[in-house]
């Protein structure tokens, strides 16, 4: 019974997992921005806005 480790307190922060999730989210968003800018650039062509001002 004396060999038991002390129980984890719920107030102990676990930043490692949160940091990994945040880095993965940033990489995923960067990938989406690159994909939309590179592969789907035609869908967001705003050249028609120039015709509105003339």
């Amino acid at each position: 019974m004396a060999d038991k480790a002390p129980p984890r307190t719920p107030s102990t922060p676990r930043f490692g997992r949160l940091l990994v999730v945040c880095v993965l989210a940033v990489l995923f968003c960067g990938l989406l921005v690159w994909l939309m800018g590179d592969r789907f650039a035609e869908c967001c062509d705003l050249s028609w806005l120039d015709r509105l001002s003339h």
Side-chain angles (χ1 to χ4, degrees):
M1 291 283 177
D3 296 342
K4 285 188 176 181
R8 277 183 72 115
T9 58
S11 63
T12 304
R14 298 181 67 185
F15 293 113
R17 186 179 298 168
L18 179 63
L19 181 63
V20 169
V21 170
C22 288
V23 167
L24 289 176
V26 167
L27 290 175
F28 180 70
C29 289
L31 177 69
L32 284 179
V33 167
W34 172 80
L35 183 67
M36 289 300 174
D38 190 52
R39 303 288 182 214
F40 300 107
E42 303 86 37
C43 75
C44 302
D45 184 23
L46 299 178
S47 62
W48 58 271
L49 287 174
D50 293 335
R51 290 182 277 165
L52 293 177
S53 61
H54 295 287

